[in-house]
């Protein structure tokens, strides 16, 4: 039984190392090969984690307790299932929903706050910088209220028409009363 536990522990560790080092290469080479395991819970991270925990728990129970072999196996399986569930719901599932792109739609900018970088005339176009994700992006803009907007003031995007942001001053400037 000890050989099985050591095999699972070492196999799980090797799988983790190989996955980290060769993950992208293996992923493209084996693409579609394991589609029959398309259930979300059969994620390689979850399976490898469970096998590793099964082996490690079995070794520790054998070494530090006087339980029977059946109890070692049962407790090791329960620990592997418990850790697999934690890994799935604590790591795999949240990572599936995480943003992995910096792309955005210009229509999503309506309601966002930006700063005028190139002054906007009452009639015509200028430029507005808006923070999107971890960076800034600049876009062609026009004044929604048909008023002159100098560089450096904060504006809010009211609408997007034909790729042009229609903006309005966010706060009234002092002295314009």
């Amino acid at each position: 039984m000890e050989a099985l536990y050591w095999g699972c522990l070492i196999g799980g560790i090797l799988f983790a190392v190989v996955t980290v080092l060769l993950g992208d290469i293996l992923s493209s080479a084996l693409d579609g090969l394991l589609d029959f395991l398309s259930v979300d819970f059969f994620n390689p991270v979850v399976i490898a984690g469970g096998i590793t925990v099964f082996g490690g728990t079995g070794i520790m129970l054998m070494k530090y307790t006087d339980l029977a072999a059946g109890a070692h196996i049962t407790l090791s399986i329960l620990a592997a299932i418990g850790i697999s569930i934690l890994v799935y719901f604590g790591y795999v599932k949240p990572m599936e929903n995480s943003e992995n792109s910096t792309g955005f739609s210009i229509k999503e900018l309506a309601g966002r706050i930006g700063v005028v970088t190139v002054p906007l005339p009452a009639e015509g176009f200028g430029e507005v910088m808006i923070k999107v994700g971890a960076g800034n992006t600049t876009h062609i803009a026009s004044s929604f209220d048909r008023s002159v907007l100098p560089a450096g003031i904060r504006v809010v995007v009211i609408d997007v028409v034909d790729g042009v942001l229609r903006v309005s001053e966010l706060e009234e400037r002092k002295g314009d009363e």
Side-chain angles (χ1 to χ4, degrees):
M1 212 58 217
E2 188 174 355
L4 173 69
Y5 293 142
W6 277 108
C8 288
L9 179 64
I10 293 169
I13 291 170
L14 287 175
F15 181 82
V17 169
V18 167
T19 304
V20 168
L21 296 178
L22 303 173
D24 290 335
I25 295 169
L26 290 175
S27 175
S28 61
L30 300 176
D31 191 30
L33 187 64
L34 300 175
D35 283 347
F36 68 94
L37 292 176
S38 63
V39 179
D40 282 345
F41 196 75
F42 289 125
N43 187 297
V45 172
V46 175
I47 293 172
I51 291 171
T52 306
V53 168
F54 171 78
T57 304
I59 290 169
M60 289 184 355
L61 287 173
M62 282 183 60
K63 187 170 185 169
Y64 298 114
T65 66
D66 292 329
L67 297 174
H72 291 161
I73 294 172
T74 304
L75 290 173
S76 296
I77 290 172
L78 289 174
I81 290 171
I83 294 297
S84 295
I85 290 170
L86 286 174
V87 167
Y88 179 73
F89 287 111
Y91 178 73
V92 173
K93 200 69 171 160
M95 287 299 125
E96 286 176 354
N97 300 327
S98 68
E99 182 70 34
N100 58 5
S101 169
T102 58
F104 64 93
S105 169
I106 195 166
K107 296 287 185 187
E108 295 172 7
L109 297 179
R112 302 289 291 265
I113 296 172
V115 175
V116 175
T117 54
V118 174
L120 294 139
E123 297 285 330
F125 304 99
E127 189 176 75
V128 173
M129 180 173 58
I130 298 175
K131 183 171 175 51
V132 177
N136 294 321
T137 181
T138 56
H139 296 277
I140 297 172
S142 66
S143 176
F144 181 80
D145 303 322
R146 302 205 185 284
S147 60
V148 176
L149 299 173
I153 67 164
R154 292 177 49 173
V155 292
V156 63
V157 179
I158 304 296
D159 194 12
V160 179
V161 179
D162 296 329
V164 176
L165 304 182
R166 308 258 298 141
V167 299
S168 183
E169 190 172 0
L170 183 63
E171 302 157 345
E172 285 191 30
R173 289 171 267 168
K174 296 188 192 289
D176 284 354
E177 289 135 32

